[in-house]
Amino acid sequence: MVNILKKFKPEKKELIHILHSVQEAQGYISPEAISEISKYLNTSEGEVYGVLTFYNAFTLEPKGKHTITVCMGTACHVRGAASVLDEFSRRLNILPGRTTEDKYFTLETVNCVGACALGPIAITDGHYHGHVSTRDVKKIIDDVSKEEGKKKKE
Amino acid sequence: MKKVDPEKLEKLRAQITASREKEKTCITICGGTGCHAYGCEEIAEIFKNEIKKQKLGDKIDIRVTGCHGFCERGPIVVIQPEGIFYQRVRKEDIQEIISKTAVGKEVIPRLLYKDPQKGVRIEKEREVPFYKKQKRIIFGRNGFIDPTDIKDYIALDGYKAVSKALFEMRPEEIISEVKKSGLRGRGGGGFPTGKKWEICREKDSSVKYIVCNADEGDPGAYMDRSLLEGNPHSIIEGMIIGAYAIGAGKGYIYVRLEYPLAVKNVTLAIEKAREYGFLGESILGSDFDFDISVFKGAGAFVSGEETSLMASIEGRRAFPRQRPPYPADKGLWGKPTNINNVETWANVPLIVEKGAQWYSRIGTETSKGTKIFSLVGKINNTGLVEVPMGMTLREIIYDIGGGIKNGKKFKAVQTGGPSGGCLPADMLDQPIDFDTLTRAGSIMGSGGMIVMDEDNCMVDVARYFLKFTQEESCGKCVPCRIGTKEMVEILTRITEGKGEIGDIKKLKDLAETVKNASLCGLGQTAPNPVLTTLRYFMDEYIEHIEEKKCSALSCKELIVYFIEPEKCVGCLLCKKNCPVNAISGERKQVHVIDQDICIKCGACLDVCPPKVSAISKYTGKDKEKILEQHNRKKTKK
């Protein structure tokens, strides 16, 4: 934490930049981090909490090992993204925004990734899948686990 | 030192041009996000390795460029100087492209775009119908520029306008030129840019700021991202000119978090611009100082609203506030601030360089210049298109976009994102500019254009947008926070077949209240999708409420999937693909869907072979009949 904070001036306008760095380094914003940031910026914990919960980029809980993001932009919507999201949700047995109990998958939605020609789009760990239909969902989920297995072997 | 002044800049430009043989073959690979998703990065890598391996470096250049716009056909590879346009290029094609086209100057017909109407293959990029009717004054350079190489931009007359502005024009002259050009804000509002600058210039303050709003939140719009990613220097150049005209010393580019490549490219471009002396102290040797920082957003749609955006830059929650005072009076940290959208800034260098007279010849009486639209949804040629203001929807959708996918019927086009509206078929011949769209109840917005066909339900689309704005409402003012929630609830129950007769009046009343009483643009425009669908597609609402029917066969609660016994060949495909095992039946026997188990995911319909097409969707009375039949059979068993 100290190393992250050192990079920023102790000014309130740095708060969002600091939160980005902490989220990136630790995967979420812990209660301890909130406390340290508030001390560093000489502001209340409430202020830090208020700002971080306003923005979608910051989470209070650690994410799963793999993130599956389904684009819910308009172009994806008119091509059936809602059904695709439902199918991910059903197969993983979690609601969008949640993480599986074994902390393996987090299911997220995004308002638009701007790759509308490929809609509906699902992104697994930064890898894009275009023209996704409900019957592709199982394979996309399985491939994430397979990919990890492959990496382990290597 | 690399720092240049106007004279050195021209020398540098001459040097770059001289070092580049005009006739040298250059393989350009589109590096936009669309093509990235198709895997262009790997393709570019293989091209580079092959050229190296075959020692062709002195004969062939490779350039990964900004977005070419025709995202439907990615990955796109264009061979210059001939402009041979290859689409949907795969790894396996690379060897052939190098040996046949790049070296042998022979065209590979298989990789060319085929005009679906005429059935002929088209060789040159500019002759492809998608590009033919466009006027790509802003977006066209993307395809020739490697956004990470400032020299590419300089070679194409980059930073010439800054040189002219700083040394040949007074700030007032620049403002007057921008006013005369008729440029209006491309972020949605359409406020005259020159006027906005003038107001900010006249404020008496030693500290002023300018901001580039790149928080492109409208789902389905991605032109700002493609400009920032593909040609970041054009935005930086526009901002330098604006800062000089207004008298600002510091600028911010507020980029949406979801655009990592844009953040990367624009950050690098700023560093390069500093190295060459386009940013920093004494720009090009003048006495003008100006610098830019990039601010990475944090995922809140409302931060695209200017007062929210400023709150976010100051490190606070992105809450909008009452206007006036406008940002020109009290902006960032209470100082006069001028905010323009990405595309607006990109227009500025052109106006300064080529003059207001040239610029104002493009477009309509009240809307000058071009507009980039993202043409997406149920359209054949998905992509970014730049057209002169005043082109009709029909020309954009049919001539450039190639019409509706799969031969379906056009139903509506949604413009302006969540703040805009849905326009029906009889509006297709409307010329598109700021004012015609507003009169039709929609807005230009940032330029999203989502095409919908007969399979899209307009009530569902209204519900989709309202749910979006409701989730993104910051909650500060009551009409937006509670009004949008109420509207979503009503729309949801209508799509679920639980609508009541009085719902339409309630929706209208709520829409008017939210529109009139909300604090910021998000709330004031949130009802537009509802108001326009009520205005143009009222019969769909009535049908949902009175007959519990969705003619588009889209609302899940109002439809059933049914296997036509006379068509089913018993191939087991649907049975195997049903995720909940709702389908029964043996090989070569008619399959049946258990309506109590079916989750209506549509997987069966997707897999049923087209020549069999045994699976249908039913709504309204037909749906009831099927369910009755189903229940009768079940009780018999």
Side-chain angles (χ1 to χ4, degrees), chain A residues 12-13 15-17 20 24 50-51 53-58 72-75 77-79 83 86-87 90-91 110-118 128 133-135, chain B residues 37-38 71-72 219-220 222 225 256-258 295-299 312 314 316-318 333 376-378 382 450 456 460 464-465 468 472 556 579-580 599 601 606-607:
Chain A
K12 249 167 111 180
K13 67 171 185 180
L15 177 53
I16 292 173
H17 301 296
H20 271 307
E24 206 168 293
V51 170
T53 50
F54 187 86
Y55 295 99
N56 291 334
F58 312 123
M72 300 306 280
T74 322
H77 178 80
V78 299
R79 292 186 184 175
S83 300
D86 283 351
E87 184 63 6
R90 201 186 62 79
R91 292 228 175 241
V110 59
N111 283 336
C112 181
V113 290
C116 307
L118 288 86
Y128 285 70
S133 77
T134 45
R135 67 196 161 102
Chain B
Y38 287 118
C71 310
E72 183 71 36
Y222 60 107
R225 192 206 62 194
R256 193 171 169 238
L257 170 78
E258 287 83 354
F295 191 101
K296 199 163 84 174
S312 188
E314 290 173 9
R316 296 182 285 123
R317 306 186 104 189
W333 296 287
V376 300
K378 301 287 187 64
T382 306
I450 294 116
N456 291 118
D460 173 65
Y464 165 82
F465 280 114
F468 179 92
E472 293 296 339
K556 265 190 183 180
V580 289
I599 54 167
C601 68
D606 286 345
V607 293

Side-chain angles (χ1 to χ4, degrees), chain B residues 62-242:
Chain B
I62 296 267
R63 188 172 295 150
V64 179
T65 67
C67 175
H68 285 241
F70 201 1
C71 310
E72 183 71 36
R73 293 279 153 175
I76 289 171
V77 173
V78 182
I79 319 291
Q80 302 291 8
E82 294 87 359
I84 298 165
F85 181 79
Y86 288 151
Q87 39 99 52
R88 295 200 175 154
V89 173
R90 295 164 309 149
K91 281 185 278 182
E92 300 79 57
D93 303 322
I94 293 174
Q95 278 297 354
E96 204 180 338
I97 293 178
I98 294 174
S99 61
K100 273 201 183 148
T101 312
V103 178
K105 297 287 163 196
E106 183 190 331
V107 174
I108 308 163
R110 170 181 96 241
L111 297 172
L112 294 174
Y113 174 77
K114 190 172 168 188
D115 186 336
Q117 266 136 33
K118 292 180 190 147
V120 288
R121 298 207 176 261
I122 298 165
E123 210 176 287
K124 304 275 164 69
E125 183 172 24
R126 57 178 184 275
E127 283 157 13
V128 172
F130 176 78
Y131 292 111
K132 233 178 173 175
K133 269 208 164 177
Q134 294 193 44
K135 191 168 180 67
R136 310 204 321 147
I137 58 172
I138 305 292
F139 204 50
R141 285 189 291 184
N142 262 29
F144 296 92
I145 288 176
D146 173 353
T148 62
D149 190 351
I150 192 171
K151 285 184 185 151
D152 282 3
Y153 184 67
I154 292 174
L156 294 177
D157 287 344
Y159 290 108
K160 216 178 197 173
V162 160
S163 202
K164 182 176 174 187
L166 258 46
F167 293 92
E168 294 166 33
M169 293 170 90
R170 283 177 296 115
E172 294 82 0
E173 280 176 287
I174 298 172
I175 291 179
S176 139
E177 200 68 11
V178 175
K179 273 169 89 177
K180 264 192 269 173
S181 76
L183 175 66
R184 293 170 68 176
R186 298 293 193 251
F191 192 83
T193 306
K195 182 85 197 143
K196 201 176 194 176
W197 288 13
E198 190 175 56
I199 295 168
C200 197
R201 166 152 191 94
E202 283 165 359
K203 299 294 165 195
D204 185 24
S205 170
S206 58
V207 180
K208 287 178 190 173
Y209 297 102
I210 61 163
V211 176
C212 169
N213 185 348
D215 191 51
E216 189 178 41
D218 282 7
Y222 60 107
M223 63 291 294
D224 291 349
R225 192 206 62 194
S226 289
L227 277 173
L228 262 188
E229 278 177 10
N231 193 357
H233 287 288
S234 66
I235 290 126
I236 295 171
E237 186 173 8
M239 288 179 77
I240 301 168
I241 296 166

Side-chain angles (χ1 to χ4, degrees), chain B residues 567-568 571 573-574 603-615:
Chain B
K567 285 187 183 169
C568 179
C571 69
L573 256 181
C574 59
C604 51
L605 185 66
D606 286 345
V607 293
C608 187
K611 60 176 184 221
V612 179
S613 50
I615 295 170

